[in-house]
């Protein structure tokens, strides 16, 4: 049985991933310090529905499936918490069998502050983002160096590391010919938020560790994710993942569908030509699962662009308007002055073939998928708080 350690197991992607691997029979341990929930309380942003604690969710999962997901509550920016997961000192906050699972075969690293607006609220939130994201990644690198260089790490990076260059975006690497000589380098990176910049710095830490200590790392450069319905959560609402629609933690399509359902005009920032690669939450699970099955080699930093299709903000607003109107909603669009500093019209042509080549079958955003997303959000309509949708955190 493979042992999978999930850092950031309480988050939007961490918890569905934990259930996904557990359902397939893996020995799963999740770690989290409840950063996301605490930030949601501190900043008073709305979640679509309440979510039981990580410990409660693990107990519910066990009651329903007979499988255990071991839970550790701790701050991975503290090196001793991280190292305890490799040398057996970790204390389980929940587990049926509290015996140490041993060195993990695979570590899924989601334990990061994931929001661009959060990282730019002010200098304090900027520092929290930088300190958390870089220390967690560095603590992981040193734990692997000291305890297990064979463990495969799958890190969630972001397409935002590349920014919006005026050339095609390759999958992580670029061959350069300069004055008659050739070499291969990380693709140039230029992020448009501090959060995204920490992901660039993560890549540098990981690439250093791969070069020095022959670690095995897959970096998934993910675009904005949408949706919350995953197979393992079907049939029990208490197992649904955290879903934000507010300005800070909500991603674009999750926000637009929620806005449409509650009659709030869709918040298109600036000209709306900002184009990104999007993916369904179920494809995040697939991409991580396929990467786990076909790990990076020793001394390899393997980079995949984890997106399934690209849309501009305007295109997504149109799609949400059309489907919303067919469902009887009076959906309107408002063009707001862009609170972010970003290109509003730009070239965007990223490669994203690597994950398909290792077996991922994309779920595309069809009208049916969008309609089913509307129906899922409608169930919680009364919980939606319009006042948290836009507060205008400026870059
Ligand atoms: O109400 C809104 C919200 C966003 N946008 C625009 O939509 C685009 C995407 O915004 P987003 O908030 O969905 O995505 P972003 O801030 O880039 O961050 C999200 O998507 C990233 C992938 S990517 O965008 O870098 O490819 C992940 O890394 C992050 O964790 C996740 O929060 C941006 O141009 C933004 O200005 C709007 O027009 N209106």
């Amino acid at each position: 049985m493979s042992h999978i350690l999930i850092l950031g197991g309480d988050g939007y992607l961490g918890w569905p991933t934990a259930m996904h691997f557990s359902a397939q029979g893996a020995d799963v341990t999740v770690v989290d310090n409840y950063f996301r929930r605490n930030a949601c309380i501190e900043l008073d942003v709305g979640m679509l529905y309440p979510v039981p604690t990580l410990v409660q969710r693990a107990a519910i999962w066990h009651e329903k499936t007979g499988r255990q997901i071991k839970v550790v509550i701790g701050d991975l920016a503290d090196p001793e918490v991280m190292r305890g997961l490799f040398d057996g000192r970790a204390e389980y906050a929940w587990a049926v069998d509290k015996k140490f699972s041993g060195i993990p075969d695979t570590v899924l690293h989601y334990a990061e502050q994931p929001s661009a607006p959060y990282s730019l609220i002010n200098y304090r939130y900027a520092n929290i983002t930088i300190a958390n994201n870089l220390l967690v990644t560095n603590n992981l690198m040193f734990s692997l160096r000291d305890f297990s260089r064979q463990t495969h790490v799958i890190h969630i990076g972001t397409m935002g590391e590349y920014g919006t260059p005026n050339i095609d975006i390759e999958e992580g690497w670029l061959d350069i010919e300069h004055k008659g000589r050739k070499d291969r380098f990380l693709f140039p990176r230029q992020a448009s938020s501090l959060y995204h910049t920490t992901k660039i710095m993560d890549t540098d830490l990981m690439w250093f560790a791969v070069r020095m200590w022959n670690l095995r790392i897959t970096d998934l450069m993910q675009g904005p994710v949408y949706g919350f319905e995953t197979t393992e959560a079907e049939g029990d609402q208490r197992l649904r993942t955290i879903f934000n629609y507010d300005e800070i933690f909500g991603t674009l399509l999750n926000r637009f569908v929620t806005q449409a359902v509650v009659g709030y005009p869709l918040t298109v920032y600036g000209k709306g030509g900002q184009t990104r690669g999007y993916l369904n939450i179920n494809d995040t699970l697939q991409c991580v699962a396929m990467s786990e099955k076909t790990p990076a080699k020793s001394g390899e930093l393997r980079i995949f662009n984890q997106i399934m299709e690209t849309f501009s903000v305007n295109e997504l607003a149109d799609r949400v308007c059309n489907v919303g109107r067919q469902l009887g909603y009076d959906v309107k669009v408002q063009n707001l002055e862009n609170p972010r500093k970003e290109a509003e019209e730009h070239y965007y042509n990223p490669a994203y073939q690597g994950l398909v080549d290792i077996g991922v079958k994309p779920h595309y955003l069809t009208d049916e998928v969008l309609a089913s997303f509307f129906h899922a959000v409608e169930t919680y309509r009364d919980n939606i708080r319009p006042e948290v949708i836009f507060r205008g955190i400026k870059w």
Side-chain angles (χ1 to χ4, degrees), residues 114-117 157-161 195-196 199 222-225 247-253 255-256 259 267-270 272 274-278 307 313 338 340 342-343 348 389-390 395:
S115 157
T158 173
M159 286 298 290
E161 288 184 40
Y195 150 71
H196 290 95
K199 293 278 186 157
Q222 189 171 243
V225 179
E247 174 179 331
I248 297 176
F249 289 112
T251 48
L252 185 70
L253 189 61
R255 282 167 61 65
F256 276 3
Q259 291 170 7
T267 52
V268 171
Y269 294 169
Q274 302 92 305
T275 304
R276 303 285 183 267
Y278 290 83
I307 60 180
V313 173
N338 197 341
R340 305 186 183 195
E342 59 184 354
Y348 201 64
I389 289 174
F390 186 75
W395 264 215

Side-chain angles (χ1 to χ4, degrees), residues 152 216 218 289-297 302 304 358:
H152 178 216
R216 322 165 63 168
T218 298
M290 294 312 288
S291 300
E292 188 265 340
K293 276 205 187 88
T294 53
K297 298 191 267 301
R302 178 177 64 165
F304 291 129
I358 62 166

Side-chain angles (χ1 to χ4, degrees), residues 38-326:
N38 290 336
C40 288
I41 294 169
E42 179 189 340
L43 299 164
D44 190 32
V45 303
M47 282 192 213
L48 194 58
Y49 41 78
V51 171
T53 66
L54 189 52
V55 166
Q56 289 164 342
R57 295 202 279 188
I60 296 165
W61 177 249
H62 180 251
E63 166 200 306
K64 296 197 75 81
T65 64
R67 299 183 188 278
Q68 69 166 338
I69 293 177
K70 292 181 176 171
V71 178
V72 176
I73 301 299
D75 181 0
L76 294 160
D78 174 348
E80 297 313 322
V81 172
M82 181 71 81
R83 297 173 79 82
L85 299 162
F86 291 83
D87 67 11
R89 282 177 296 140
E91 281 177 32
Y92 297 108
W94 190 90
V96 181
D97 152 22
K98 295 204 169 178
K99 201 169 128 281
F100 178 50
S101 289
I103 298 268
D105 301 299
T106 308
V107 177
L108 309 181
H109 174 13
Y110 295 99
E112 303 200 67
Q113 191 300 95
S115 157
Y118 180 99
S119 72
L120 284 155
I121 295 175
N122 62 30
Y123 65 92
R124 214 163 60 75
Y125 294 94
N127 280 351
I128 292 171
T129 305
I130 292 170
N132 179 76
N133 294 4
L134 299 187
L135 287 178
V136 172
T137 302
N138 200 46
N139 287 340
L140 175 61
M141 294 302 106
F142 271 83
S143 296
L144 294 165
R145 183 191 84 150
D146 297 341
F147 299 112
S148 172
R149 298 186 187 196
Q150 276 309 305
T151 293
H152 178 216
V153 174
I154 302 175
H155 172 253
I156 298 289
T158 173
M159 286 298 290
E161 288 184 40
Y162 305 122
T164 50
N166 200 29
I167 58 171
D168 290 355
I169 297 173
E170 304 303 329
E171 299 204 61
W173 301 94
L174 187 65
D175 294 318
I176 301 225
E177 193 175 338
H178 181 63
K179 296 186 178 169
R181 302 182 69 81
K182 285 186 189 158
D183 208 342
R184 191 164 172 256
F185 296 94
L186 284 166
F187 192 90
R189 292 154 306 145
Q190 42 192 358
S192 63
S193 86
L194 250 179
Y195 150 71
H196 290 95
T197 302
T198 63
K199 293 278 186 157
I200 293 176
M201 297 170 173
D202 277 343
T203 305
D204 285 332
L205 289 175
M206 294 189 297
W207 179 214
F208 175 77
V210 165
R211 294 197 313 275
M212 295 305 121
W213 309 317
N214 276 327
L215 302 189
R216 322 165 63 168
I217 303 185
T218 298
D219 201 4
L220 299 174
M221 311 292 269
Q222 189 171 243
V225 179
Y226 58 85
F228 61 86
E229 293 186 294
T230 63
T231 314
E232 289 77 23
E234 268 169 22
D236 194 327
Q237 297 194 4
R238 298 170 303 168
L239 293 174
R240 285 189 159 170
T241 192
I242 284 176
F243 182 94
N244 285 98
Y245 56 89
D246 57 277
E247 174 179 331
I248 297 176
F249 289 112
T251 48
L252 185 70
L253 189 61
N254 290 354
R255 282 167 61 65
F256 276 3
V257 170
T258 311
Q259 291 170 7
V261 164
V262 81
Y264 192 107
L266 308 187
T267 52
V268 171
Y269 294 169
K271 293 185 184 139
Q274 302 92 305
T275 304
R276 303 285 183 267
Y278 290 83
L279 80 164
N280 188 304
I281 191 165
N282 288 290
D283 284 343
T284 298
L285 302 185
Q286 259 201 87
C287 291
V288 171
M290 294 312 288
S291 300
E292 188 265 340
K293 276 205 187 88
T294 53
K297 298 191 267 301
S298 270
E300 183 188 14
L301 172 63
R302 178 177 64 165
I303 304 178
F304 291 129
N305 291 345
Q306 184 160 304
I307 60 180
M308 296 303 150
E309 49 196 333
T310 61
F311 297 106
S312 68
V313 173
N314 286 330
E315 281 166 345
L316 279 182
D318 284 348
R319 298 285 303 276
V320 170
C321 279
N322 290 339
V323 171
R325 284 173 191 155
Q326 282 164 26

Side-chain angles (χ1 to χ4, degrees), residues 329-348:
Y329 287 101
D330 177 22
V331 190
K332 293 198 172 63
V333 172
Q334 55 176 336
N335 280 85
L336 297 171
E337 189 190 326
N338 197 341
R340 305 186 183 195
K341 203 159 182 177
E342 59 184 354
E344 294 176 5
E345 284 169 318
H346 57 89
Y347 180 76
Y348 201 64

